[in-house]
Amino acid sequence: MLTQAPKGTHDVTVKESYKWQYVEERIRKMTALCGLREIRTPTFEHTELFLRSVGNTTDVVQKEMYTFLDKGGRSITLKPEGTASVVRSFIESGMVSESMPAKMYYLTMPNFRYEKPQKGRLREFHQFGVEVFGASLPTEDAELIGMAWDLTHELGISGLQLHINSIGCPSCRAKYNQALKAYLAERRDGLCKNCRERMERNPMRVLDCKEKTCQQLTEDAPRMLDYLCEDCAKHFEGLKNALEAVQIPFTVDPGIVRGLDYYTRTVFEIIASLPEGELTVCGGGRYDNLIEEVGGPSLPGVGFGMGMERLLMVMELSGVEIPNPPMLDLYVASAGENARMAAFVLCKKLRALNIRCDMDHVGRSLKAQFKYADKCDASFAITIGDNELDARQIQLRDFSSHTELPFSLDDVAGIAAAIRGKVQNDQ
Ligand code: ATP
Ligand code: MG
């Protein structure tokens, strides 16, 4: 128990963190190119926020939230998704009254859902997400979809599919809900218990049910696309045109309704086909009523969330090799106490010159220190013993060319320049 992480959690060990850093770096580059700034919100929020935004007929609210009373008797929930918090913060910080649109992203934000742990499904997972407030035109939806799409391709993932749909606005959805309810009522007995309840309050949720029988029963259900009002239909046309203009291939999939209630009009998913079945790597859409619903002004919004663990999993399955940079440029080996102190001073000075170096603090033999240096993938080594200290002269050993260069122990800039020249050449 003590040495076992809770079910559904995942450590990123020191041996794997370079993969996350690689992806995070690409994301930061891409978001900067698109004029997005980072937002960070707390790990927990008032439960009410998610009941209002995610919707209390969704799986997330009904089954998956980590909700508890804190010591002050407040109902608190660990964030099951990112958008609601970002919207809350956007309103609370007063950014609502600044110039629009407001474009932001969050990176490796922890989310918590009490789900049955399985491949690609954790209880604590992390998301990269983008939210844009105050832009209603479909080119914005296409811009966001393009960001997610381009990122997956830039990361070397192939074989992904983009599915898009429109779930309309409250006015056209009301008509659709009636038609869907009538369809479902005829098949009521075949639906799961959950869906029998949901079909009254929120019939579209039935289309998102994970139960096989419900999925089969809804295969021929009326499609929202056939009920879109003129404005919503025009918006969807605009989205398709914009995606075509930048050659992003998509499939219109009336089955995509998303697992959260706040969406309006555009919804999309980027799906990976794995031997075990399909896995959604990224999901998002438009939420034109959410900001107002949470207590802000009437402003449109659109966004997506990308599961980091799923992204990394799909990268691995696609055979993407993530470069693992060596840990150190230089290892400074030392023999004896005085030499160790000299190594300590040298490392401090070299690090100030951006040389990644380390030394022995264990009191190991020189042989054992070199073994360690090898494990750290160091390109260079310096050995300091009594002779080197007396002469204030060291040899900089280059492991790749098996050569040695003499330096004064005090010529820190010279040592740094020699290492940097080589390391930069190798990159
Ligand atoms: P699913 O249909 O797979 O349950 P969802 O609709 O619940 O997904 P969203 O709320 O849209 O998922 O979350 C956005 C992204 O976060 C998903 O596309 C996925 O990449 C990731 N994600 C969602 N739930 C989990 C989880 N339990 N473990 C790992 N990643 C997840
Ligand atoms: Mg889910």
Side-chain angles (χ1 to χ4, degrees), residues 64 113 115 121 210:
E64 298 170 2
R113 294 187 194 176
E115 299 204 69
R121 209 169 277 288
K210 302 279 191 291

Side-chain angles (χ1 to χ4, degrees), residues 162-167 223 225 236 250-257 267 269 271 278:
L162 167 65
H163 287 210
I164 63 168
N165 189 22
S166 174
I167 54 170
R223 302 157 10 128
L225 285 176
F236 194 50
F250 60 85
T251 305
V252 174
D253 179 352
I256 302 253
V257 294
V267 283
E269 289 187 4
I271 300 168
E278 291 191 331

Side-chain angles (χ1 to χ4, degrees), residues 151-422:
L151 179 72
T152 56
H153 284 80
E154 206 191 303
L155 290 172
I157 305 173
S158 52
L160 293 176
Q161 291 220 9
L162 167 65
H163 287 210
I164 63 168
N165 189 22
S166 174
I167 54 170
C169 63
S171 77
C172 53
R173 208 182 300 157
K175 270 192 221 116
Y176 172 67
N177 278 343
Q178 271 179 3
L180 183 58
K181 239 188 228 173
Y183 174 92
L184 293 173
E186 282 171 24
R187 293 157 182 82
R188 193 170 190 281
D189 294 343
L191 295 173
C192 74
K193 186 171 165 279
N194 233 339
C195 284
R196 286 202 295 266
E197 272 167 34
R198 288 194 287 211
M199 68 174 261
E200 299 300 333
R201 289 196 287 159
N202 195 349
M204 221 169 65
R205 283 270 64 84
V206 178
L207 304 182
D208 198 45
C209 183
K210 302 279 191 291
E211 298 285 335
K212 268 234 156 59
T213 45
C214 296
Q215 284 177 355
Q216 279 164 356
L217 273 182
T218 52
E219 258 167 22
D220 298 318
R223 302 157 10 128
M224 182 66 228
L225 285 176
D226 299 325
Y227 288 79
L228 293 180
C229 63
E230 206 182 321
D231 284 350
C232 288
K234 205 170 138 210
H235 195 273
F236 194 50
E237 280 309 306
L239 169 64
K240 290 189 284 185
N241 289 339
L243 289 174
E244 274 161 13
V246 287
Q247 278 109 40
I248 295 180
F250 60 85
T251 305
V252 174
D253 179 352
I256 302 253
V257 294
R258 312 285 306 123
L260 317 170
D261 272 353
Y262 50 64
Y263 288 110
T264 52
R265 293 189 169 169
T266 307
V267 283
F268 75 94
E269 289 187 4
I270 297 177
I271 300 168
S273 294
L274 307 180
E276 299 84 354
E278 291 191 331
L279 199 64
T280 302
V281 176
C282 177
R286 181 163 279 286
Y287 43 85
D288 287 343
N289 303 314
L290 178 62
I291 298 174
E292 195 172 6
E293 185 64 29
V294 171
S298 168
L299 271 177
V302 54
F304 68 76
M306 194 179 274
M308 293 290 286
E309 286 85 356
R310 286 198 195 171
L311 187 66
L312 282 156
M313 193 174 108
V314 172
M315 280 172 81
E316 197 157 325
L317 292 168
S318 302
V320 176
E321 293 264 346
I322 300 181
N324 187 4
M327 243 165 88
L328 294 179
D329 301 321
L330 167 73
Y331 189 84
V332 184
S334 57
E337 228 167 272
N338 293 339
R340 187 175 311 120
M341 193 58 81
F344 180 64
V345 173
L346 181 61
C347 277
K348 177 126 181 13
K349 289 181 176 166
L350 282 170
R351 285 172 184 161
L353 296 175
N354 284 328
I355 300 300
R356 297 174 303 169
C357 53
D358 202 3
M359 58 171 285
D360 174 69
H361 296 284
V362 184
R364 284 196 185 108
S365 70
L366 279 178
K367 195 175 157 206
Q369 290 184 46
F370 274 101
K371 223 167 141 185
Y372 183 82
D374 190 44
K375 270 200 183 144
C376 297
D377 252 349
S379 316
F380 292 87
I382 289 172
T383 305
I384 307 180
D386 290 339
N387 292 343
E388 284 80 7
L389 272 184
D390 288 345
R392 295 209 70 77
Q393 190 74 28
I394 53 99
Q395 299 287 334
L396 177 66
R397 188 192 297 182
D398 181 339
F399 284 121
S400 60
S401 62
H402 305 286
T403 52
E404 292 196 337
L405 268 178
F407 280 94
S408 155
L409 182 55
D410 302 303
D411 182 14
V412 182
I415 297 171
I419 295 173
R420 203 175 303 119
K422 176 72 198 292

Side-chain angles (χ1 to χ4, degrees), residues 56-66 113-116 192 194 198 209-211:
N56 44 22
T57 50
T58 59
D59 275 354
V60 169
V61 168
Q62 286 190 336
K63 306 188 217 161
E64 298 170 2
M65 291 207 306
Y66 277 86
R113 294 187 194 176
Y114 196 78
E115 299 204 69
K116 199 164 154 220
C192 74
N194 233 339
R198 288 194 287 211
C209 183
K210 302 279 191 291
E211 298 285 335

